[in-house]
Amino acid sequence: MLLALLGPALLVVGFAQRSGGGAGGRGGFRTPSVPRVNPSPAPSFPLPTPSRPYSTPPVYPVYPAPPVYVTPGIGGGGIGMASIVTILVLGLIAYSVMRGLSSAARGGGGLLGAGAPEAEVARLRLALLYSPELQRALRRLAEESDTETPQGLADLVDNAAALLLREQSSWKFGSYENWRGSLEQAEGQFDRWMTEDRSSYVETYRKFEGKVETHEAEYTPRLEPDKRYLLVSLLLAHRGPLPEVPKPLRAAGARQALLALSSSTPLTTLAAYLSWTPEVEGEALNEQDLLTGWPGLELL
């Protein structure tokens, strides 16, 4: 009876001892301030001076001025109906442009169209057959990535997607989930999913917004011969909606999800996080670890 009660707890404790690594940032949520530009003074030019003095001013012939005709407008004014219509049309155009710019400044709603979500947060998880070369490639990608700028985060997503696409023959399980809503809520959703990923392992390496933390020396690896899987999670917060991904996922859907995530650009990448477990070379997961720790995984 006691073993039945403690069994799940012991399983969780044992599972939590797996190592893990991650890299990313959320700098895209921070809108950079526009630098103030001080207007330069108007240039001054010297007045031309005559090359030789004139004894007498030049005399020009005087012609009679042509007659000026004024067409009376409505009510005796000087503005006609066509001029009034032109002014109204220009005013409406200026109002529409200012309204669109104001919506874009608040998060892009005016550019996405009415009813379109301002942001999407998506997460793809892939369980692959264990490979020490893949572990080293993920660590190297994390170490070399710029995690402080939207450009670097977009490159991190692109490079991670390319790396995983090259490993398609090793895919065994996967899951894809997405959330859509406002920019204000998107950062919180991204943080929740990132924290969920980080809580599933003991962090032995992490690079977040330029800050690096390593804890390999404090960790004792668990090298077991029956383990054969490596789990990778790619998380992205994107300005505007991402391309649709079919469900159930299957291998074709996982490939489409990677291509959808890699469609982000430095202008649309709000945050990104790449994580994998185990991180210490030689450690791996078995199928029970996968299905217990990540019940949403489906066979690809």
Side-chain angles (χ1 to χ4, degrees), residues 89-104:
V89 170
L90 292 176
L92 290 174
I93 293 175
Y95 173 75
S96 300
V97 171
M98 294 302 295
R99 186 175 180 182
L101 292 175
S102 176
S103 299

Side-chain angles (χ1 to χ4, degrees), residues 4 7 21 23 26 39 41 44 55 57 65 78 100-101 103 108 121 124 166 181 186 194 199 211 227 235 237 289:
R26 49 174 178 250
S44 58
S55 57
L101 292 175
S103 299
V121 183
L124 174 68
R166 288 194 292 268
M194 180 175 63
S199 66
K211 182 180 179 181
K227 310 300 183 180
L235 174 60
D289 293 333

Side-chain angles (χ1 to χ4, degrees), residues 15 125 174-175 196 288-299:
F15 174 76
R125 285 170 168 163
S175 68
E196 183 182 359
Q288 183 180 2
D289 293 333
L290 290 175
L291 300 181
T292 303
W294 298 273
L297 294 175
E298 57 184 276
L299 185 64

Side-chain angles (χ1 to χ4, degrees), residues 107-170:
L111 300 177
L112 296 175
E118 292 180 331
E120 179 170 345
V121 183
R123 177 171 61 182
L124 174 68
R125 285 170 168 163
L126 284 177
L128 307 90
L129 292 177
Y130 171 77
S131 164
E133 292 78 17
L134 178 58
Q135 271 183 325
R136 289 193 290 266
L138 290 167
R139 174 68 175 263
R140 186 166 55 252
L141 174 59
E143 291 174 340
E144 297 175 353
S145 295
D146 171 17
T147 58
E148 298 183 79
T149 64
Q151 174 70 62
L153 295 174
D155 291 341
L156 173 63
V157 174
D158 289 346
N159 293 330
L163 176 62
L164 293 173
L165 284 170
R166 288 194 292 268
E167 299 289 334
Q168 184 170 350
S169 60
S170 299

